[in-house]
Amino acid sequence: MASHTPEHAAGNTSSKMDKLTALCRRRGFIFQSSEIYGGINGFWDYGPLGVELKRNLKDAWWQDIVRCAPPGPDGQPIDMVGLDCTIIMNRKVWEASGHASGFNDPMVDDRESKQRFRADQLFGLYAGPHTGNSAADRAAVLAAVAGGIAPIISIIASTGGEAAEVLERQGKKLFKERNVPLQISEIAAEFVLLKERGEPRLGVLAAVPIDVLRGRPLEIPSPFTQKTGVLTEPRQFNLMFQTHTGAVQDDSSMAYLRPETAQGIFANFRNVTDTSRVKIPFGIAQIGKAFRNEVTPRNFTFRSREFEQMEIEFFIHPEQAAEWYRFWRDVRFKWWQSIGLTSANLQLREHDRDELAHYAREGAGTSDIEYRFPFTAPGFGELEGVAHRTDFDLRQHAQFSGLGDKLKYFDQQRNERYFPHVIEPSAGADRGTLAILCEAYQDDPGRPSGVVMKFHPRMAPIKAAIFPLVDKDGMPEIAGNIYNDLRKTWNVEMDVKQNIGKRYARMDEAGTPYCFTVDTQTLSDQTLTVRHRDTLAQERINVAEIRNFLSKKLEP
Ligand code: ATP
């Protein structure tokens, strides 16, 4: 669901992001894809630490959702099964789902600056920091009206309302004369593009209906340069990547890379009900890659062209939609908290009705679980959407596949055949990983590393490090035995190089919650030190106790 959260934020918040990005590169969390060839826009690779982090996130999701789903609203266990579908599917799937025709954002290009804008979110225009009373403001409003556009006066949240009021008064007069409606809105996402270039506080945003724009883009100034006459006609821009199957590359062999994992679940609905014992209410879950040819990939991994989703389609009787919608919304929100997103940077936002996708408008609701990333602050960016998709998808597949009523579910308890409704919690594994990285990152000038990654122990890529204090006197052998034992269960690391301070610093950057050091005392009494990452406290425990110690600390 498109969120109206800005994805570009004021410059001062980006320094944390710069530092985090540098750390990710330096320590092997995330690399640019194909970096040795200059990279490729919108694609990212996970390095040795990143792959563990992301895997921990996906494993926790699979464990907590599929293998050990929480009890439902009535306290009864939930049926949940997993699935792993292909990325390339029959093209008809995407015709049925509406993606082949509907997953288009009409775009307008600025021929000079080569910037591309979503036509339906195009700015009327804007220039500089305004009072709302200047000739330029007036011209902005006039130009929007001349374009036959209903302008929205958009206010950056931090500004006092005075300038807006002046603009509104002026605007109302103009609009009254020309009978054009006027709306006042809160900050709009694309506005921030302009904010980056000069801190404007107030502007006229024209939400352009495509049919109005068609044929007259030359009258509308480029949001980027404010020049008129440089915008192209709106063009359809399908976000699905295309490829071909087989030897011949013609229209009949064209196939799409899936833009979401959900459709594989719907397409397999009957296979799953026929082959397992699931009964409504039940869920089917899938983790997998999805691809979208995003127009403007940006903000590190937040908006990528290849990413991973963790999706649940939860099938219910239509009458129970509201109850299950609330259930999943709340369960999913708490889950993100349980894996470490505990700060006020996590929020649950219920959508307004007019934001909803066509199929969801009649439904029980849609909400986003959002995180305040450094690049969205003070706004939020979507981590997961929880939506009541009604029976839209199953009905579409029933129609497009020709299966019709055969795709209905037979409810033995109710003795009723129907298309189940669906509650869909759809999360992004990459955005989740990024949120975890942002949440964990803490500058700490008191440490040699200057920074510590305070991951929740369950998410930490390395659970524990084992250090022999010196590389002699039998210490490496003891450390080696401990390491070989622990690695059967957890991702642990042994490090014998450099002085102990440097080794701790490396582990602080990797976010390793516990470091065990074998020292001279270990040789005589079989105890070693445990250093706690967050408090820097050290204690001694018996070597034989390490397994117990870690098990307790790493429990979900
Ligand atoms: P947005 O409005 O930010 O484009 P969306 O509403 O289109 O996202 P959904 O279709 O609801 O996203 O997809 C579910 C989840 O998949 C999102 O909550 C997000 O975590 C993830 N996701 C979607 N698009 C991307 C992307 N381009 N890069 C990384 N993750 C993505």
Side-chain angles (χ1 to χ4, degrees), residues 129-180:
H130 281 206
T131 58
N133 212 358
S134 68
D137 289 331
R138 226 179 125 75
V141 175
L142 265 174
V145 176
I149 294 156
I152 296 173
I153 295 183
S154 189
I155 306 154
I156 294 286
S158 61
T159 325
E162 197 191 315
E165 275 170 35
V166 179
L167 194 49
E168 185 185 5
R169 242 180 289 128
Q170 288 194 344
K172 272 196 179 137
K173 191 159 161 279
L174 288 165
F175 305 137
K176 215 166 151 204
E177 283 162 14
R178 291 172 173 79
N179 202 18
V180 176

Short mmCIF file of all heavy atoms in Angstrom, two decimals, residues 129-180:
data_model
loop_
_atom_site.label_atom_id
_atom_site.label_comp_id
_atom_site.label_asym_id
_atom_site.label_seq_id
_atom_site.Cartn_x
_atom_site.Cartn_y
_atom_site.Cartn_z
N PRO A 129 11.73 28.98 0.00
CA PRO A 129 10.98 29.14 1.24
C PRO A 129 9.99 30.28 1.09
O PRO A 129 10.38 31.38 0.74
CB PRO A 129 12.05 29.49 2.28
CG PRO A 129 13.35 29.43 1.56
CD PRO A 129 13.11 29.42 0.11
N HIS A 130 8.75 29.98 1.35
CA HIS A 130 7.72 30.98 1.03
C HIS A 130 6.96 31.46 2.24
O HIS A 130 6.85 30.77 3.22
CB HIS A 130 6.74 30.39 0.02
CG HIS A 130 7.28 30.41 -1.36
ND1 HIS A 130 6.50 30.43 -2.45
CD2 HIS A 130 8.54 30.41 -1.80
CE1 HIS A 130 7.27 30.45 -3.52
NE2 HIS A 130 8.51 30.41 -3.14
N THR A 131 6.41 32.62 2.09
CA THR A 131 5.57 33.16 3.14
C THR A 131 4.12 32.87 2.84
O THR A 131 3.26 33.00 3.68
CB THR A 131 5.72 34.68 3.18
OG1 THR A 131 5.34 35.17 1.88
CG2 THR A 131 7.14 35.07 3.51
N GLY A 132 3.84 32.51 1.63
CA GLY A 132 2.46 32.33 1.23
C GLY A 132 1.89 33.62 0.65
O GLY A 132 0.78 33.66 0.15
N ASN A 133 2.67 34.67 0.70
CA ASN A 133 2.14 35.97 0.32
C ASN A 133 2.86 36.56 -0.88
O ASN A 133 2.54 37.65 -1.33
CB ASN A 133 2.32 36.92 1.52
CG ASN A 133 1.19 37.93 1.57
OD1 ASN A 133 0.34 37.92 0.69
ND2 ASN A 133 1.21 38.79 2.57
N SER A 134 3.83 35.84 -1.39
CA SER A 134 4.66 36.43 -2.43
C SER A 134 4.05 36.23 -3.81
O SER A 134 3.12 35.45 -4.00
CB SER A 134 6.04 35.79 -2.41
OG SER A 134 5.89 34.46 -2.82
N ALA A 135 4.65 36.95 -4.76
CA ALA A 135 4.18 36.83 -6.14
C ALA A 135 4.37 35.39 -6.63
O ALA A 135 3.54 34.86 -7.36
CB ALA A 135 4.97 37.79 -7.02
N ALA A 136 5.47 34.76 -6.18
CA ALA A 136 5.74 33.39 -6.63
C ALA A 136 4.67 32.42 -6.13
O ALA A 136 4.23 31.54 -6.85
CB ALA A 136 7.12 32.95 -6.16
N ASP A 137 4.25 32.62 -4.87
CA ASP A 137 3.20 31.75 -4.34
C ASP A 137 1.93 31.90 -5.17
O ASP A 137 1.25 30.94 -5.49
CB ASP A 137 2.87 32.15 -2.89
CG ASP A 137 3.99 31.75 -1.95
OD1 ASP A 137 4.68 30.78 -2.25
OD2 ASP A 137 4.16 32.45 -0.94
N ARG A 138 1.64 33.15 -5.46
CA ARG A 138 0.43 33.45 -6.20
C ARG A 138 0.51 32.81 -7.58
O ARG A 138 -0.44 32.20 -8.06
CB ARG A 138 0.32 34.97 -6.34
CG ARG A 138 -1.02 35.52 -6.05
CD ARG A 138 -0.98 37.03 -6.21
NE ARG A 138 -2.00 37.46 -7.15
CZ ARG A 138 -3.28 37.51 -6.86
NH1 ARG A 138 -3.70 37.17 -5.66
NH2 ARG A 138 -4.16 37.91 -7.75
N ALA A 139 1.70 32.94 -8.17
CA ALA A 139 1.90 32.37 -9.51
C ALA A 139 1.74 30.85 -9.46
O ALA A 139 1.18 30.23 -10.36
CB ALA A 139 3.29 32.73 -10.02
N ALA A 140 2.22 30.26 -8.37
CA ALA A 140 2.13 28.81 -8.23
C ALA A 140 0.68 28.37 -8.23
O ALA A 140 0.28 27.44 -8.94
CB ALA A 140 2.82 28.38 -6.94
N VAL A 141 -0.10 29.08 -7.44
CA VAL A 141 -1.51 28.71 -7.34
C VAL A 141 -2.18 28.91 -8.69
O VAL A 141 -2.93 28.04 -9.17
CB VAL A 141 -2.21 29.57 -6.26
CG1 VAL A 141 -3.69 29.28 -6.24
CG2 VAL A 141 -1.58 29.32 -4.90
N LEU A 142 -1.87 30.04 -9.31
CA LEU A 142 -2.49 30.35 -10.60
C LEU A 142 -2.16 29.29 -11.65
O LEU A 142 -3.03 28.86 -12.39
CB LEU A 142 -1.95 31.70 -11.10
CG LEU A 142 -2.82 32.89 -10.77
CD1 LEU A 142 -2.11 34.17 -11.19
CD2 LEU A 142 -4.16 32.78 -11.48
N ALA A 143 -0.88 28.90 -11.67
CA ALA A 143 -0.46 27.94 -12.69
C ALA A 143 -1.16 26.61 -12.50
O ALA A 143 -1.56 25.96 -13.46
CB ALA A 143 1.05 27.74 -12.63
N ALA A 144 -1.31 26.22 -11.24
CA ALA A 144 -1.99 24.96 -10.98
C ALA A 144 -3.43 25.05 -11.45
O ALA A 144 -3.97 24.14 -12.08
CB ALA A 144 -1.94 24.65 -9.49
N VAL A 145 -4.03 26.20 -11.16
CA VAL A 145 -5.43 26.37 -11.56
C VAL A 145 -5.53 26.39 -13.08
O VAL A 145 -6.43 25.78 -13.67
CB VAL A 145 -6.00 27.67 -10.95
CG1 VAL A 145 -7.42 27.90 -11.44
CG2 VAL A 145 -5.98 27.57 -9.44
N ALA A 146 -4.57 27.08 -13.71
CA ALA A 146 -4.58 27.16 -15.17
C ALA A 146 -4.50 25.77 -15.78
O ALA A 146 -5.06 25.49 -16.82
CB ALA A 146 -3.42 28.02 -15.65
N GLY A 147 -3.77 24.88 -15.10
CA GLY A 147 -3.65 23.51 -15.58
C GLY A 147 -4.91 22.70 -15.30
O GLY A 147 -4.96 21.52 -15.57
N GLY A 148 -5.90 23.34 -14.71
CA GLY A 148 -7.14 22.64 -14.42
C GLY A 148 -6.98 21.64 -13.30
O GLY A 148 -7.64 20.62 -13.20
N ILE A 149 -6.07 21.94 -12.41
CA ILE A 149 -5.71 20.99 -11.38
C ILE A 149 -6.25 21.47 -10.04
O ILE A 149 -6.22 22.67 -9.74
CB ILE A 149 -4.17 20.91 -11.29
CG1 ILE A 149 -3.63 20.32 -12.58
CG2 ILE A 149 -3.73 20.11 -10.10
CD1 ILE A 149 -2.22 20.71 -12.82
N ALA A 150 -6.69 20.54 -9.23
CA ALA A 150 -7.10 20.92 -7.89
C ALA A 150 -5.86 20.91 -7.01
O ALA A 150 -5.34 19.86 -6.69
CB ALA A 150 -8.11 19.92 -7.38
N PRO A 151 -5.36 22.06 -6.66
CA PRO A 151 -4.11 22.05 -5.89
C PRO A 151 -4.36 21.68 -4.43
O PRO A 151 -5.43 21.90 -3.90
CB PRO A 151 -3.62 23.50 -5.97
CG PRO A 151 -4.61 24.21 -6.82
CD PRO A 151 -5.84 23.40 -6.89
N ILE A 152 -3.35 21.14 -3.87
CA ILE A 152 -3.40 20.86 -2.45
C ILE A 152 -2.32 21.70 -1.81
O ILE A 152 -1.16 21.62 -2.19
CB ILE A 152 -3.11 19.38 -2.16
CG1 ILE A 152 -4.21 18.53 -2.78
CG2 ILE A 152 -3.02 19.12 -0.67
CD1 ILE A 152 -3.93 17.05 -2.69
N ILE A 153 -2.71 22.52 -0.88
CA ILE A 153 -1.68 23.30 -0.21
C ILE A 153 -1.06 22.39 0.84
O ILE A 153 -1.74 21.85 1.70
CB ILE A 153 -2.28 24.55 0.43
CG1 ILE A 153 -2.80 25.46 -0.69
CG2 ILE A 153 -1.23 25.26 1.27
CD1 ILE A 153 -3.36 26.75 -0.22
N SER A 154 0.22 22.24 0.70
CA SER A 154 0.89 21.24 1.52
C SER A 154 1.80 21.94 2.52
O SER A 154 2.53 22.84 2.18
CB SER A 154 1.70 20.32 0.63
OG SER A 154 2.16 19.26 1.38
N ILE A 155 1.72 21.50 3.74
CA ILE A 155 2.44 22.20 4.79
C ILE A 155 3.45 21.27 5.42
O ILE A 155 3.12 20.18 5.87
CB ILE A 155 1.45 22.65 5.89
CG1 ILE A 155 0.33 23.45 5.26
CG2 ILE A 155 2.17 23.42 6.97
CD1 ILE A 155 -0.94 23.40 6.06
N ILE A 156 4.69 21.67 5.40
CA ILE A 156 5.69 20.89 6.12
C ILE A 156 5.37 21.02 7.60
O ILE A 156 5.16 22.11 8.12
CB ILE A 156 7.10 21.43 5.83
CG1 ILE A 156 7.45 21.23 4.36
CG2 ILE A 156 8.14 20.78 6.73
CD1 ILE A 156 7.77 19.81 3.97
N ALA A 157 5.36 19.90 8.27
CA ALA A 157 4.81 19.83 9.62
C ALA A 157 5.41 20.85 10.59
O ALA A 157 4.74 21.34 11.48
CB ALA A 157 4.99 18.44 10.15
N SER A 158 6.70 21.15 10.41
CA SER A 158 7.34 21.97 11.41
C SER A 158 6.97 23.46 11.31
O SER A 158 7.30 24.24 12.18
CB SER A 158 8.85 21.84 11.27
OG SER A 158 9.23 22.29 10.00
N THR A 159 6.30 23.86 10.27
CA THR A 159 6.02 25.27 10.07
C THR A 159 4.77 25.70 10.83
O THR A 159 3.83 24.93 10.95
CB THR A 159 5.75 25.55 8.58
OG1 THR A 159 6.57 24.72 7.83
CG2 THR A 159 5.97 27.00 8.26
N GLY A 160 4.78 26.92 11.27
CA GLY A 160 3.57 27.47 11.87
C GLY A 160 2.52 27.63 10.79
O GLY A 160 2.83 27.61 9.60
N GLY A 161 1.30 27.76 11.17
CA GLY A 161 0.21 27.76 10.19
C GLY A 161 0.00 29.08 9.47
O GLY A 161 -0.79 29.15 8.54
N GLU A 162 0.72 30.12 9.87
CA GLU A 162 0.36 31.45 9.38
C GLU A 162 0.49 31.57 7.86
O GLU A 162 -0.43 31.99 7.17
CB GLU A 162 1.26 32.48 10.06
CG GLU A 162 0.72 33.89 9.93
CD GLU A 162 1.79 34.88 10.39
OE1 GLU A 162 2.40 34.63 11.43
OE2 GLU A 162 1.97 35.87 9.69
N ALA A 163 1.64 31.15 7.36
CA ALA A 163 1.86 31.25 5.92
C ALA A 163 0.83 30.43 5.17
O ALA A 163 0.33 30.84 4.12
CB ALA A 163 3.26 30.78 5.58
N ALA A 164 0.51 29.29 5.73
CA ALA A 164 -0.48 28.44 5.08
C ALA A 164 -1.82 29.14 4.99
O ALA A 164 -2.53 29.05 3.99
CB ALA A 164 -0.61 27.14 5.85
N GLU A 165 -2.14 29.84 6.06
CA GLU A 165 -3.44 30.51 6.08
C GLU A 165 -3.53 31.57 4.98
O GLU A 165 -4.54 31.71 4.30
CB GLU A 165 -3.67 31.18 7.44
CG GLU A 165 -4.26 30.22 8.44
CD GLU A 165 -4.26 30.81 9.84
OE1 GLU A 165 -4.47 32.03 9.96
OE2 GLU A 165 -4.03 30.03 10.79
N VAL A 166 -2.43 32.32 4.83
CA VAL A 166 -2.42 33.36 3.79
C VAL A 166 -2.63 32.72 2.43
O VAL A 166 -3.45 33.16 1.63
CB VAL A 166 -1.08 34.13 3.81
CG1 VAL A 166 -1.07 35.19 2.71
CG2 VAL A 166 -0.86 34.76 5.16
N LEU A 167 -1.87 31.65 2.23
CA LEU A 167 -1.96 30.98 0.94
C LEU A 167 -3.36 30.41 0.71
O LEU A 167 -3.90 30.49 -0.38
CB LEU A 167 -0.91 29.86 0.89
CG LEU A 167 -0.62 29.26 -0.47
CD1 LEU A 167 -0.38 30.33 -1.51
CD2 LEU A 167 0.59 28.35 -0.39
N GLU A 168 -3.89 29.90 1.78
CA GLU A 168 -5.23 29.33 1.67
C GLU A 168 -6.24 30.41 1.29
O GLU A 168 -7.09 30.22 0.42
CB GLU A 168 -5.62 28.68 3.00
CG GLU A 168 -6.94 27.97 2.93
CD GLU A 168 -7.37 27.45 4.30
OE1 GLU A 168 -6.67 27.74 5.29
OE2 GLU A 168 -8.39 26.78 4.36
N ARG A 169 -6.11 31.56 1.94
CA ARG A 169 -7.05 32.65 1.66
C ARG A 169 -6.96 33.07 0.21
O ARG A 169 -7.94 33.19 -0.49
CB ARG A 169 -6.75 33.85 2.58
CG ARG A 169 -7.93 34.16 3.50
CD ARG A 169 -7.64 35.34 4.40
NE ARG A 169 -6.66 35.02 5.43
CZ ARG A 169 -5.56 35.72 5.68
NH1 ARG A 169 -5.27 36.80 4.97
NH2 ARG A 169 -4.74 35.38 6.67
N GLN A 170 -5.71 33.25 -0.24
CA GLN A 170 -5.50 33.64 -1.63
C GLN A 170 -6.05 32.59 -2.57
O GLN A 170 -6.74 32.88 -3.54
CB GLN A 170 -4.00 33.75 -1.92
CG GLN A 170 -3.36 34.92 -1.28
CD GLN A 170 -1.98 35.13 -1.91
OE1 GLN A 170 -1.47 34.23 -2.57
NE2 GLN A 170 -1.44 36.29 -1.72
N GLY A 171 -5.69 31.35 -2.22
CA GLY A 171 -6.09 30.25 -3.08
C GLY A 171 -7.60 30.15 -3.18
O GLY A 171 -8.15 30.07 -4.27
N LYS A 172 -8.27 30.28 -2.04
CA LYS A 172 -9.71 30.10 -2.02
C LYS A 172 -10.38 31.10 -2.96
O LYS A 172 -11.34 30.77 -3.64
CB LYS A 172 -10.25 30.25 -0.61
CG LYS A 172 -10.22 28.94 0.15
CD LYS A 172 -11.06 28.98 1.38
CE LYS A 172 -11.02 27.63 2.08
NZ LYS A 172 -10.89 27.76 3.52
N LYS A 173 -9.84 32.31 -2.94
CA LYS A 173 -10.43 33.35 -3.77
C LYS A 173 -10.29 32.96 -5.25
O LYS A 173 -11.25 32.98 -6.01
CB LYS A 173 -9.72 34.68 -3.49
CG LYS A 173 -10.40 35.87 -4.07
CD LYS A 173 -9.98 37.13 -3.35
CE LYS A 173 -10.28 38.36 -4.20
NZ LYS A 173 -9.26 38.57 -5.22
N LEU A 174 -9.07 32.57 -5.58
CA LEU A 174 -8.81 32.18 -6.98
C LEU A 174 -9.66 30.99 -7.41
O LEU A 174 -10.22 30.97 -8.49
CB LEU A 174 -7.33 31.79 -7.14
CG LEU A 174 -6.36 32.94 -7.09
CD1 LEU A 174 -4.94 32.39 -6.90
CD2 LEU A 174 -6.43 33.72 -8.39
N PHE A 175 -9.74 30.04 -6.48
CA PHE A 175 -10.45 28.83 -6.84
C PHE A 175 -11.94 29.07 -6.97
O PHE A 175 -12.62 28.46 -7.76
CB PHE A 175 -10.17 27.72 -5.83
CG PHE A 175 -8.72 27.46 -5.66
CD1 PHE A 175 -8.16 27.26 -4.41
CD2 PHE A 175 -7.90 27.45 -6.76
CE1 PHE A 175 -6.82 27.05 -4.27
CE2 PHE A 175 -6.54 27.23 -6.63
CZ PHE A 175 -5.99 27.04 -5.38
N LYS A 176 -12.41 30.00 -6.14
CA LYS A 176 -13.83 30.31 -6.19
C LYS A 176 -14.17 30.90 -7.54
O LYS A 176 -15.14 30.49 -8.19
CB LYS A 176 -14.19 31.30 -5.07
CG LYS A 176 -15.55 31.04 -4.49
CD LYS A 176 -15.74 31.77 -3.20
CE LYS A 176 -17.22 32.08 -3.04
NZ LYS A 176 -17.44 33.21 -2.17
N GLU A 177 -13.29 31.81 -7.97
CA GLU A 177 -13.53 32.43 -9.28
C GLU A 177 -13.59 31.37 -10.38
O GLU A 177 -14.36 31.46 -11.31
CB GLU A 177 -12.38 33.41 -9.62
CG GLU A 177 -12.48 34.72 -8.87
CD GLU A 177 -11.13 35.46 -8.89
OE1 GLU A 177 -10.26 35.09 -9.68
OE2 GLU A 177 -10.99 36.40 -8.07
N ARG A 178 -12.74 30.38 -10.27
CA ARG A 178 -12.66 29.39 -11.34
C ARG A 178 -13.35 28.07 -11.00
O ARG A 178 -13.25 27.10 -11.74
CB ARG A 178 -11.19 29.10 -11.66
CG ARG A 178 -10.54 30.27 -12.31
CD ARG A 178 -9.05 30.03 -12.43
NE ARG A 178 -8.41 31.08 -13.19
CZ ARG A 178 -8.11 32.27 -12.69
NH1 ARG A 178 -8.38 32.57 -11.44
NH2 ARG A 178 -7.54 33.18 -13.46
N ASN A 179 -13.96 28.08 -9.85
CA ASN A 179 -14.72 26.90 -9.46
C ASN A 179 -13.87 25.63 -9.37
O ASN A 179 -14.24 24.56 -9.85
CB ASN A 179 -15.86 26.70 -10.47
CG ASN A 179 -16.97 25.87 -9.85
OD1 ASN A 179 -17.02 25.76 -8.62
ND2 ASN A 179 -17.83 25.30 -10.67
N VAL A 180 -12.68 25.77 -8.80
CA VAL A 180 -11.80 24.61 -8.63
C VAL A 180 -11.71 24.29 -7.14
O VAL A 180 -11.52 25.18 -6.34
CB VAL A 180 -10.38 24.91 -9.17
CG1 VAL A 180 -9.44 23.76 -8.89
CG2 VAL A 180 -10.45 25.21 -10.65
#
